[in-house]
Every structure is written in structure tokens, then in C-alpha cells.
Amino acid sequence: YAKRTGGASHALFEERMVAGSRDQVELLQDLRRAVAHNELTLHYQPKIHAPSGQITGAEALMRWKHPQRGMVGPHIFIPLAERYGLINSLGNFLIEEVCRQIRAWRDNGLRMRVAINLSVHQLRQADLVERILDALERHHIDPALLTCEITESAAMDDTRVTLQVIERLSAIGVHLSIDDFGTGYSSLSYLRQLAAEELKIDRSFVFDLETSADARAIVDAVVKLAQALGLKVVAEGVETEQQQEILRQLGCNELQGYLFAKPMPPEALMLWAMNDEGPRALDFRPSLFGD
Ligand code: C2E
Ligand code: MG
Ligand code: MG
Ligand code: MG
């Protein structure tokens, strides 16, 4: 995993993280400064319409350009931010930056739907919806262009604030997606009440598709459940042609993974979406229309 997210130096860095808590303290101090020093950035990974291969949108994934350590992945700094009360300032950066980017793409003729990840701590933040609404309005963005991905376990965190936040997000027209589905404990009746439009099957099931009949059965069941509830199903972590083939056969609506593209900077995504490097080079131009 470390290799995929940043090469050998990344693996080495992770070893040191485990080795010393002094390093962790240092990293925390650096993280406090990261927002103000513009060291956080967003990469975007395309989501693909399974039947046609066309891009349907992108997921924003946060990266930290650490001045000494290089690119640090979210699996290291998001838990740190959550533990030490920094997640909301990261979240505020995320909301602002995504809206700025959607607007910048829009001004360049690209109408891109973007999904952001929200942690359970952010959902408990009472003014989250106002912040999102404010950013959408300031940048003149249609709320339907924004999807909030909430992990299954966060969505099932049934505190009143979380439930209200999810409902209000949906009320302002933002889409909702249940991330890492299959790894939490869903109550099916609760799932039915949630105003979500999408389930994202966790990549651990996708990883096992080729070798495990159980994984295939689980994906099959999730697709059928989603269809019955009127939800769209996205598979994440698609890396091989064979996985793609199985997922299409099982009826997954959208696919996301290294097979199509890794998360990339916004300029690269724009080129990709406009088909310099994207799939099905010539039959895709839907994002070039204007309003
Ligand atoms: P996630 O939301 O489930 O995102 C999918 C992760 O899988 C991303 O890792 C993505 O780069 C990776 N991925 C995509 N395709 C493949 C593939 O084919 N193979 C493999 N092995 N991996 C693939 P990333 O970017 O390291 O993010 C990890 C997690 O960190 C995310 O999981 C999400 O939970 C969290 N995260 C990322 N950005 C943010 C953010 O802005 N805010 C919050 N709260 N959490 C974030
Ligand atoms: Mg996600
Ligand atoms: Mg996920
Ligand atoms: Mg995940």
C-alpha cells in the first residue's frame, strides 16, 4: 500500500511513524501550520460509468505536500487531525478548495461533479451545512455537482446532529454517498431512511473478486440491495480488467480505481476528462457543454 501512495520514501516514513512518538508530535506541529502555509492540496480520481466508460465525476482526495517529508497521504494525517481537533480546519479548506476548483473548471468549460469525504467528526459539526451552502453560493455552484461521501460507520453513528446534518445536506440538494460499504454495521431499516443516492462497495471486496466466491456473492448482494432501494452502486479500487469485467456483469453502475486512473492534480484531470488520456477517446464530450 505504501508503495502505491508515494514510493519507497513513503514506506520508510511510515516505519519511522511507528518507531517514534516524537515524530508524531513533530508531525502534529507541522500539520497545525499546514493549512495556513498552503501545504494541503487536492487530487482528483475519476469515476467511470460502467456500461459506457465515460467519466461521471471525480473524488477529491487530500494530499499534504510536506516541505521536508514530501507527499504525505491522508491515512497518516487524517487520523492525526481527527484525534487532535484539526479535522474541521482541514474540512473547511476542503470545502472551499473544492468549490473554487469546480468553479475554475466550469469557467474553462468543464462541468465536473465532485465527491468529497467527510469524517464523523465533521458531521457532528453543527455549522457544516451552512459552510457548504455558503461556499456553493459564493462560487455560484449548483449543489447537485457536489456529493458528500460518508463512511458506512459514520452514517450509522446515529447521534441527532449527524442525522440532522445528513438530512439538511440532502435538503439543500447535495448528493450523498455511503463510502466503504460492507465494512461497517448497517442497519438496513436505517439505510432505507437515509437520504443517500449511492453505495460505494469497499475495495477489500473488489480486491478479492477474482479469487473469492464469497466476495462475488457479497458484491452481488450489495448490488441487488442497492437496486431494491433505488441506489446507485460504485465499486472502488478496481485495478484489473478481470475485476472490471466481473463488476460490470454483476451490474455495478460506476467504477473507480487505478485501472482507469490514479488520483491526479486538477489540471491533469481536466485534460483526462477532455480526453487527451481518458478512456474511449472520441465518444466522450459531455462535459464540454455550457449552461
Ligand atoms: P476513500 O474515501 O475510501 O478513498 C479511496 C482510497 O482508495 C483513496 O486513498 C484512493 O487513492 C485509493 N484508491 C483508489 N483507487 C485505488 C486502487 O485501484 N487501488 C488501491 N489500492 N487504492 C485505490 P487515499 O487518497 O490514500 O485516501 C484514503 C482515505 O483517506 C479515503 O478513503 C478517505 O477515507 C480519507 N480521505 C481522503 N481525503 C480526505 C478528506 O479530504 N477528508 C477526509 N475526512 N477524509 C479523507
Ligand atoms: Mg471516499
Ligand atoms: Mg471508500
Ligand atoms: Mg476506503
Side-chain angles (χ1 to χ4, degrees), residues 100-256:
R100 191 199 60 74
Q101 188 61 62
I102 294 176
R103 173 44 47 199
W105 277 326
R106 200 77 185 80
D107 292 343
N108 279 291
L110 182 69
R111 189 173 190 273
M112 183 64 71
R113 292 186 61 159
V114 178
I116 60 172
N117 293 283
L118 296 178
S119 75
V120 68
H121 296 81
Q122 291 170 277
L123 290 175
R124 292 189 189 136
Q125 187 188 4
D127 68 346
L128 175 74
V129 183
E130 280 69 34
R131 274 189 183 276
I132 291 178
L133 196 56
D134 173 67
L136 289 169
E137 282 174 359
R138 265 187 296 107
H139 294 279
H140 307 286
I141 294 165
D142 177 358
L145 286 181
L146 189 69
T147 297
C148 292
E149 294 191 3
I150 297 166
T151 62
E152 183 185 17
S153 36
M156 295 303 143
D157 167 74
D158 58 1
T159 63
R160 250 186 50 235
V161 180
T162 308
L163 263 174
Q164 280 175 2
V165 166
I166 290 176
E167 266 165 28
R168 281 160 61 220
L169 278 174
S170 147
I172 65 170
V174 168
H175 292 278
L176 208 75
S177 167
I178 310 295
D179 205 351
D180 300 346
F181 190 78
T183 60
Y185 310 84
S186 274
S187 139
L188 295 183
S189 62
Y190 183 75
L191 187 65
R192 191 168 60 117
Q193 287 168 36
L194 275 183
E197 15 305 278
E198 180 180 290
L199 294 184
K200 283 186 96 167
I201 299 179
D202 190 66
R203 71 164 187 260
S204 57
F205 302 111
V206 175
F207 188 82
D208 288 338
L209 270 184
E210 290 147 283
T211 52
S212 157
D214 286 349
R216 276 197 300 278
I218 289 170
V219 173
D220 190 29
V222 171
V223 170
K224 284 174 175 141
L225 172 71
Q227 282 169 351
L229 295 175
L231 305 174
K232 201 168 67 176
V233 183
V234 183
E236 63 178 10
V238 183
E239 294 187 356
T240 70
E241 292 285 352
Q242 208 191 337
Q243 289 165 355
Q244 170 181 218
E245 194 48 44
I246 297 169
L247 289 162
R248 281 185 207 272
Q249 276 166 15
L250 292 175
C252 265
N253 304 96
E254 292 182 20
L255 310 172
Q256 194 183 338

Side-chain angles (χ1 to χ4, degrees), residues 42-46 55 101 105 110 112 261-278:
L42 298 178
H43 282 189
Y44 295 85
Q45 186 180 36
I55 183 172
Q101 188 61 62
W105 277 326
L110 182 69
M112 183 64 71
K262 291 195 170 181
M264 58 185 109
E267 309 76 40
L269 184 83
M270 171 132 177
L271 291 177
W272 200 91
M274 291 186 158
N275 262 304
D276 285 30
E277 294 172 66

